[in-house]
Amino acid sequence: PAGALLAVARSLGYGPVTAFLKVVLPQLYPLIRLPVFAALAFALTVVDVALIIGPSTPPTLAVQALRWFNHPDLHWRLPAAAAAILLTLLTVCSLAGWEGVVRLLARFSRPWLTHGGRGGAGHGFRRLALGAGGLALALASLSVLALFLWSFARRWSFPLVWPEQLTLENWSGQTHQLLEVGWNTFAIGAAATLLALLLSIGCLEHETRRRLTVSGRSLWLLYLPLLVPQVGFLFGVQVLLAWSGLDGGWPALVWTHLLFVLPYVFLSLADPWRAFDRRYEHTALALGASPIRTFWRIKLPMLRGPVAVAAAVGFAVSVAQYLPTLFAGAGRYATISTEAVTLASGANRRIIGVYAVAQAALPLLGFGLALWVARRRER
């Protein structure tokens, strides 16, 4: 564990920052390499964030490819496909460049790792990290607060820091539409999360009973939908769904969301499931309980907290999906995410605030329910 490694390094006289950089980070990075790759690929290929933050700025390659894919003239599908391939190559080159820099850094830092320098307390570095993290958290909190206030504002003129008038008309005027898109969002997210939980628990339980070990290739395959640019990947999925006659259907929409929900649910649940003490199962089996009864009455209730957290993570991922809903749903199913991105290009900040608050509320409710389940299990 990282805590034990830090304690050993600190006992040898190393400062906290130096101990982390020399002892923990070299062993931690191989474990988080795939999540780092997924974050880098997301930053390069994300569409909805670019549409919201800069709707009138020159588009990124992913946004331009999406516009070409949606062009009424089918001849624009050819440059769209070329843009998707180029975006994939850029992502692969970026990931390779990142890994190359990391390996060069690891190679040239060996003298620093082994020369025995203990370092100081690292107060400056720790204050910088704490300040940067606090600034990011403060900006995010203020942004959510501003959207919340806009959803209730009737008039808010610059440079006032508080709305001149508050009203519920913004919410009451969107009640019918919010209920419709909210139900679609909840139903799709719940179905995708439930399927992801069933698949993840089945795989992990089979792995435990057969005493199998998951190889790195399996994790790469699991992460593949997160590493490939969504624009090109989902267009191919849309072609497959159209060829099979499932395009625009609810099952196709759930399956497309499942492609992105499953990796997060599996990775959230894998470590707690593998760390479960099997002596509880052995005791129940020795008392005459069947394996199925042991699973339902012993193991699953004891892991109810991690399962609830994994479900909350999966549901939050599903709520945030924009392109999968757009491609697989063929415009027939509107969710809070698609409506929020569409409204973001407009000038009505009040309605944008309503949908942004609603989109943030659904994952928060999911995590609140997961926290309640975890605390109930502890009691």
Side-chain angles (χ1 to χ4, degrees), residues 18 20 93 146 151 154 198 219 226 250:
T18 306
F20 176 80
C93 292
S151 68
R154 172 175 290 173
L198 292 176
L219 290 179
L226 307 180
W250 197 78

Side-chain angles (χ1 to χ4, degrees), residues 34 207 212-222 266 274:
L34 283 176
E207 171 191 323
L212 303 175
T213 56
V214 179
S215 63
R217 295 180 179 179
S218 301
L219 290 179
W220 277 96
L221 181 63
L222 189 66
F266 183 88
R274 292 166 182 161

Side-chain angles (χ1 to χ4, degrees), residues 60-71:
T60 61
L61 184 58
V63 173
Q64 187 60 56
L66 177 64
R67 293 176 179 175
W68 285 338
F69 275 127
N70 293 330
H71 200 280

Side-chain angles (χ1 to χ4, degrees), residues 6-189:
L6 280 175
V8 172
R10 294 298 303 277
S11 67
L12 296 175
Y14 288 90
V17 177
T18 306
F20 176 80
L21 294 177
K22 288 190 173 184
V23 179
V24 178
L25 187 59
Q27 302 182 59
L28 179 64
Y29 179 75
L31 302 177
I32 63 172
R33 179 184 286 111
L34 283 176
V36 170
F37 282 179
L40 180 58
F42 174 82
L44 289 170
T45 62
V46 64
V47 172
D48 49 348
V49 176
L51 289 174
I52 293 174
I53 295 179
S56 59
T57 58
T60 61
L61 184 58
V63 173
Q64 187 60 56
L66 177 64
R67 293 176 179 175
W68 285 338
F69 275 127
N70 293 330
H71 200 280
D73 189 355
L74 296 181
H75 289 91
W76 285 100
R77 297 291 178 92
L78 299 179
I85 294 175
L86 177 60
L87 187 60
T88 303
L89 293 176
L90 286 175
T91 304
V92 172
C93 292
S94 300
L95 297 180
W98 175 275
E99 186 63 18
V101 170
V102 169
R103 295 195 177 189
L104 285 176
L105 184 62
R107 180 176 180 180
F108 288 106
S109 63
R110 287 177 184 174
W112 176 75
L113 291 172
T114 58
H115 82 304
R118 263 57 175 175
H123 293 301
F125 183 83
R126 294 162 68 180
R127 289 172 182 171
L128 179 62
L130 183 61
L135 179 62
L137 180 60
L139 291 176
S141 302
L142 290 175
S143 300
V144 174
L145 178 60
L147 289 172
F148 181 78
L149 290 177
W150 268 115
S151 68
F152 291 98
R154 172 175 290 173
R155 178 178 175 82
W156 194 354
S157 303
F158 181 82
L160 299 178
V161 297
W162 192 263
E164 300 174 56
Q165 293 179 333
L166 298 177
T167 180
L168 293 176
E169 294 178 359
N170 301 330
W171 285 88
S172 61
Q174 300 294 321
T175 300
H176 178 73
Q177 183 71 11
L178 268 178
L179 289 176
E180 181 180 353
V181 299
W183 169 251
N184 289 339
T185 304
F186 174 77
I188 295 168

Side-chain angles (χ1 to χ4, degrees), residues 230-249:
Q230 286 191 3
V231 174
F233 171 65
L234 289 174
F235 179 71
V237 171
Q238 186 184 38
V239 172
L240 176 63
L241 293 174
W243 176 78
S244 60
L246 299 175
D247 187 29

